[in-house]
Amino acid sequence: MNIALMMENSQAAKNPIILKELESVSDSLGHNVYNVGMNSEDDHHLTYVHLGIMAGVLINAGAVDFVFAGCGTGQGALMALNAQPGVFCGYCIDPSDAFLFNQVNNGNALALPFAKGFGWGAELNARYIFEKALTGERGAGYPVERREPQVKNAGILADLKAALACENYVDTLKKMDPALVKVAVSGERFRQCLVENSKDEEIKSYVLSL
Amino acid sequence: MNIALMMENSQAAKNPIILKELESVSDSLGHNVYNVGMNSEDDHHLTYVHLGIMAGVLINAGAVDFVFAGCGTGQGALMALNAQPGVFCGYCIDPSDAFLFNQVNNGNALALPFAKGFGWGAELNARYIFEKALTGERGAGYPVERREPQVKNAGILADLKAALACENYVDTLKKMDPALVKVAVSGERFRQCLVENSKDEEIKSYVLSL
Amino acid sequence: MNIALMMENSQAAKNPIILKELESVSDSLGHNVYNVGMNSEDDHHLTYVHLGIMAGVLINAGAVDFVFAGCGTGQGALMALNAQPGVFCGYCIDPSDAFLFNQVNNGNALALPFAKGFGWGAELNARYIFEKALTGERGAGYPVERREPQVKNAGILADLKAALACENYVDTLKKMDPALVKVAVSGERFRQCLVENSKDEEIKSYVLSL
Amino acid sequence: MNIALMMENSQAAKNPIILKELESVSDSLGHNVYNVGMNSEDDHHLTYVHLGIMAGVLINAGAVDFVFAGCGTGQGALMALNAQPGVFCGYCIDPSDAFLFNQVNNGNALALPFAKGFGWGAELNARYIFEKALTGERGAGYPVERREPQVKNAGILADLKAALACENYVDTLKKMDPALVKVAVSGERFRQCLVENSKDEEIKSYVLSL
């Protein structure tokens, strides 16, 4: 599985800590991690709105299978990611949240708070969240006897989001402020992840042309 | 301020508990509460996807100013509400979340978990969340020195969601599965809230015609 | 009500933040706050073990009615305070904990984590905890129908602790390492609180003689 | 390692759920679990004060190495266990708490809330807590550079508790209300655990004689 980690300016200094925990969990499970957001305060400047667009591009291009994003409280990232077609982003503050989100909602992204509640033990909590988010059967239901309606509802939400969106994600990108999109897709590691992993030529070409 | 409470089938039995806490806090602040979701397990059957549509209608019609929604984990409600144009929904498990969401993101909806972590003290936690969500200046920034970029980012996200949506929410409604929309807008208390408070004739007429 | 705040070396730098929130809540309720632990990293050096002794002295002398203590995780303070006769210390990470502790256990101290989970919003969480810890009838039971066994159990625990302790707290103090006790009771603000508020001449005289 | 699980009357119905998670984690690590509290609402009736005495007996007799206890909020168990000589009981609501308690405090017991916050996902949270409580080097410090003072403070607290207690735990038992102690030590599974594992003949003989 290809996993993207996306952090924005307000908590960029914590990227090495979070990345280390994510890589440690992902490596042991055979997943690949792409650190496509800011990796320090001096990196290419991104806000949570940019993270939403980045997640939209990578998910819709099939370049990554799952996104971990975040900001100070995680709420901005949460709303920005969910604003994008094809992105289904939950919110996670403890390991059980991660497990339940997989079982009940089976989405493709999680937003985390990187400042709210972030004190001693926060990197441990992040690791435990990654462990539970990345293991176990997905969409198995919780409690298990509620699997059927839960899977059904996830499908209905997916259909609804698809119905509200353009058929083509490139058209979605064209509807957004070009200056905003350009900043979102200009990061070097982001572009490399897209080039190496995109399964959608049209999205890739369009993004690289910006 | 007009406030809607929206609960779905899996946690409908808890509606009286939550409503009582919300009304107690809202009454003391002079707000009106509209209990537009399920009020018991036998009520008009709704899922979190319906809650999203209901929030979309009430917010876009100007019938309510703020929505509290939820489901078992709150994640389904969270994604369903954020899928709607004009709805900016955070996630809240403790009172500080509610305060920070107001200060940093200044959205118009919060999703709560009504089963995850819901044991002794859960109704107290809900009350404290309502207290902090409904008091204090909104959009004042947290920490306060970050107000400017936070207000700016909230505006950029709002513009982006507006750019991706139809100009007219009735057109948005028409893009969704009619059967799904019909169930969402058929509840008696929902319709009453819309009739009494809508500031948008077009949305009201269309919804009532379904 | 007289309330003591006690912080130790590892989180001493946060004392002004916590004190401000506690004073703001206490002032509005007519309570007095005594900041008897470290008020900065350069202050008289204290560990959580000292906090336990300080709480033991002030509670047993009747100088304060309630103690808020803490350390990095709060666990050290928790164990150190509960090791003292007459001190009944709960643990608190959210406002509902504070309320429930009052209702169910009706103790006289709470330990808080001042590093674990201490990020954005932590000072708000502390304020909300103080609000709920210091308001409402104490020992009223939760759920209310369980009041009787809860009050009874609190009494049995109190009797058990009394049976295990020396009859006289000065004798308890004499059993502990004198060097440890001396450091615990040497802080200027601690001694002032004891002098001004002690209702037990023997404890006061003994402590001041050290 | 021998591990005791102790639950009291208010949450006894949840014992099978918690026991299953604890056994699942412990079995994989080669630890033995002794379910010495109530295993259903109809079992030998225990309160959190009894749990304290039970933990005191088993720990001081060397029959078990670690105790997981709890009650509705966990606060009663917490105070009752810490009232006993030789028992060092932390409080745990999430997996990081368990890890930090091991690293920083290296105690021999943890109290958990079995009603407060106990909703969907609570059994998962319990499992994750057991995982983190039972793995990893103990007393290694957190952050690691603070190991030395943390180990030192844990030792000072242990010395202080020892100084306050009778030299002999049987004498401690004799100071408590005999009727209370008798109920605490009458459970069949408790006695079996003591008989099979006690390393202290005097405590074992005295307890069995009651």
Side-chain angles (χ1 to χ4, degrees), chain A residues 71-154:
Chain A
C71 51
T73 61
Q75 310 270 5
L78 169 71
M79 295 191 291
L81 269 74
N82 279 310
Q84 298 287 323
V87 181
F88 299 88
C89 181
Y91 184 79
C92 206
I93 62 141
D94 71 32
S96 325
D97 290 328
F99 179 85
L100 291 173
F101 182 66
N102 275 4
Q103 298 310 300
V104 176
N105 304 99
N106 197 1
N108 51 22
L110 276 169
L112 279 74
F114 290 133
K116 201 262 170 179
F118 203 98
W120 274 14
E123 79 289 1
L124 303 171
N125 195 43
R127 179 160 76 223
Y128 304 160
I129 285 174
F130 297 144
E131 285 175 6
K132 304 309 174 188
L134 300 175
T135 48
E137 187 194 353
R138 305 180 65 84
Y142 183 93
V144 285
E145 64 270 21
R146 290 190 63 84
R147 177 181 186 161
E148 194 186 319
Q150 289 171 348
V151 168
K152 190 177 161 196
N153 287 337

Side-chain angles (χ1 to χ4, degrees), chain B residues 4-209:
Chain B
L5 174 64
M6 301 182 176
M7 294 175 68
E8 46 70 78
N9 70 90
S10 82
Q11 308 306 318
K14 292 171 184 160
N15 180 259
I17 299 168
I18 301 297
L19 179 62
K20 183 185 161 199
E21 300 297 343
L22 179 55
E23 285 184 334
S24 146
V25 173
S26 298
D27 288 357
S28 72
L29 297 166
H31 298 317
N32 307 309
V33 174
Y34 296 87
N35 186 30
V36 298
M38 293 177 73
N39 65 4
S40 72
E41 294 194 337
D42 300 325
D43 198 12
H44 177 61
H45 193 271
L46 298 167
T47 69
Y48 62 75
V49 189
H50 297 123
L51 303 189
I53 299 170
M54 292 161 68
V57 169
L58 294 182
I59 292 280
N60 284 285
V64 303
D65 304 289
F66 204 90
V67 172
F68 290 105
C71 51
T73 61
Q75 311 270 5
L78 168 72
M79 293 191 293
L81 269 74
N82 279 310
Q84 298 289 322
V87 181
F88 298 89
C89 180
Y91 184 80
C92 206
I93 62 143
D94 72 32
S96 325
D97 290 328
F99 178 85
L100 291 173
F101 182 66
N102 275 3
Q103 298 310 300
V104 175
N105 304 100
N106 197 2
N108 51 22
L110 277 169
L112 279 73
F114 290 132
K116 200 261 170 178
F118 203 97
W120 274 14
E123 78 289 3
L124 303 170
N125 195 43
R127 179 160 75 222
Y128 304 160
I129 285 173
F130 298 143
E131 285 174 6
K132 303 309 174 187
L134 299 174
T135 47
E137 187 194 354
R138 304 180 66 82
Y142 182 93
V144 285
E145 65 270 21
R146 289 190 65 83
R147 177 180 186 160
E148 193 187 319
Q150 288 172 348
V151 169
K152 190 178 160 196
N153 287 337
I156 294 173
L157 177 62
D159 291 346
L160 181 147
K161 283 197 72 162
L164 292 186
C166 306
E167 289 183 24
N168 186 309
Y169 190 69
V170 171
D171 291 337
T172 296
L173 283 170
K174 289 178 179 167
K175 282 181 141 186
M176 302 182 224
D177 174 1
L180 191 71
V181 175
K182 198 167 174 184
V183 170
V185 302
S186 298
E188 195 181 337
R189 295 184 309 281
F190 173 84
R191 292 173 90 86
Q192 194 178 347
C193 174
L194 184 67
V195 168
E196 288 177 9
N197 300 291
S198 175
K199 294 173 185 147
D200 184 306
E201 271 309 308
E202 200 181 346
I203 295 177
K204 184 173 80 173
S205 306
Y206 177 74
V207 166
L208 296 180
S209 75

Side-chain angles (χ1 to χ4, degrees), chain A:
Chain A
M1 193 155 83
N2 286 348
I3 298 164
L5 173 64
M6 301 184 175
M7 294 175 69
E8 46 69 79
N9 70 90
S10 82
Q11 308 305 318
K14 292 170 184 160
N15 179 259
I17 299 169
I18 301 298
L19 178 61
K20 184 185 160 199
E21 300 297 343
L22 178 55
E23 285 184 334
S24 147
V25 173
S26 298
D27 288 357
S28 73
L29 296 165
H31 298 317
N32 306 309
V33 174
Y34 296 87
N35 186 32
V36 299
M38 293 178 72
N39 65 3
S40 72
E41 295 194 336
D42 300 326
D43 198 12
H44 177 61
H45 193 272
L46 298 167
T47 70
Y48 62 75
V49 189
H50 297 121
L51 302 189
I53 299 171
M54 292 161 67
V57 169
L58 294 182
I59 292 279
N60 284 286
V64 304
D65 305 289
F66 204 90
V67 172
F68 290 104
C71 51
T73 61
Q75 310 270 5
L78 169 71
M79 295 191 291
L81 269 74
N82 279 310
Q84 298 287 323
V87 181
F88 299 88
C89 181
Y91 184 79
C92 206
I93 62 141
D94 71 32
S96 325
D97 290 328
F99 179 85
L100 291 173
F101 182 66
N102 275 4
Q103 298 310 300
V104 176
N105 304 99
N106 197 1
N108 51 22
L110 276 169
L112 279 74
F114 290 133
K116 201 262 170 179
F118 203 98
W120 274 14
E123 79 289 1
L124 303 171
N125 195 43
R127 179 160 76 223
Y128 304 160
I129 285 174
F130 297 144
E131 285 175 6
K132 304 309 174 188
L134 300 175
T135 48
E137 187 194 353
R138 305 180 65 84
Y142 183 93
V144 285
E145 64 270 21
R146 290 190 63 84
R147 177 181 186 161
E148 194 186 319
Q150 289 171 348
V151 168
K152 190 177 161 196
N153 287 337
I156 294 173
L157 178 62
D159 290 346
L160 182 147
K161 283 197 72 162
L164 293 186
C166 306
E167 289 183 26
N168 186 310
Y169 190 69
V170 171
D171 291 337
T172 296
L173 284 170
K174 288 179 180 168
K175 282 181 141 186
M176 301 182 224
D177 174 0
L180 190 71
V181 175
K182 199 169 173 183
V183 170
V185 302
S186 298
E188 196 182 336
R189 294 185 309 280
F190 172 84
R191 293 172 89 86
Q192 195 178 345
C193 173
L194 184 68
V195 168
E196 288 176 10
N197 300 291
S198 174
K199 294 173 185 148
D200 184 306
E201 271 309 307
E202 200 181 346
I203 295 176
K204 184 172 81 173
S205 306
Y206 177 73
V207 166
L208 296 180
S209 74
L210 291 173

Side-chain angles (χ1 to χ4, degrees), chain D residues 21-98:
Chain D
E21 300 297 343
L22 178 54
E23 285 185 333
S24 146
V25 173
S26 298
D27 288 357
S28 73
L29 296 166
H31 298 317
N32 306 310
V33 174
Y34 295 88
N35 186 32
V36 298
M38 292 178 71
N39 65 5
S40 72
E41 295 194 336
D42 300 326
D43 199 12
H44 177 62
H45 193 270
L46 298 167
T47 70
Y48 62 76
V49 189
H50 297 122
L51 302 190
I53 299 169
M54 293 161 67
V57 169
L58 294 182
I59 292 279
N60 284 285
V64 304
D65 305 289
F66 204 91
V67 172
F68 290 104
C71 51
T73 61
Q75 310 271 5
L78 170 71
M79 294 191 292
L81 269 74
N82 279 310
Q84 298 288 323
V87 181
F88 298 89
C89 180
Y91 184 79
C92 205
I93 61 142
D94 73 31
S96 325
D97 290 328

Side-chain angles (χ1 to χ4, degrees), chain C residues 8-10 47-49 53 73 75-80 82-85 87-94 96-97 100-101 104-105 107 110 116 146 150 153-157 160-161 163-166 172-173 175-177 180, chain D residues 8-10 47-49 53 73 75-80 82-85 87-94 96-97 100-101 104-105 107 110 116 146 150 153-157 160-161 163-166 172-173 175-177 180:
Chain C
E8 46 70 79
N9 71 90
S10 83
T47 71
Y48 62 76
V49 189
I53 299 169
T73 62
Q75 310 270 5
L78 169 71
M79 294 191 292
N82 279 310
Q84 298 288 324
V87 181
F88 298 89
C89 180
Y91 185 80
C92 205
I93 62 142
D94 73 32
S96 325
D97 290 327
L100 292 172
F101 182 67
V104 176
N105 305 99
L110 277 169
K116 201 262 170 178
R146 290 189 64 83
Q150 288 171 348
N153 288 337
I156 295 173
L157 178 63
L160 182 146
K161 283 198 71 162
L164 292 186
C166 306
T172 296
L173 283 171
K175 283 182 140 186
M176 301 182 226
D177 174 2
L180 191 71
Chain D
E8 46 70 78
N9 70 90
S10 82
T47 70
Y48 62 76
V49 189
I53 299 169
T73 61
Q75 310 271 5
L78 170 71
M79 294 191 292
N82 279 310
Q84 298 288 323
V87 181
F88 298 89
C89 180
Y91 184 79
C92 205
I93 61 142
D94 73 31
S96 325
D97 290 328
L100 292 173
F101 182 66
V104 175
N105 305 98
L110 276 170
K116 200 260 169 180
R146 290 190 64 84
Q150 289 172 349
N153 288 337
I156 294 173
L157 177 62
L160 182 146
K161 284 198 71 163
L164 293 186
C166 306
T172 296
L173 283 170
K175 284 181 140 185
M176 302 182 225
D177 174 1
L180 190 71

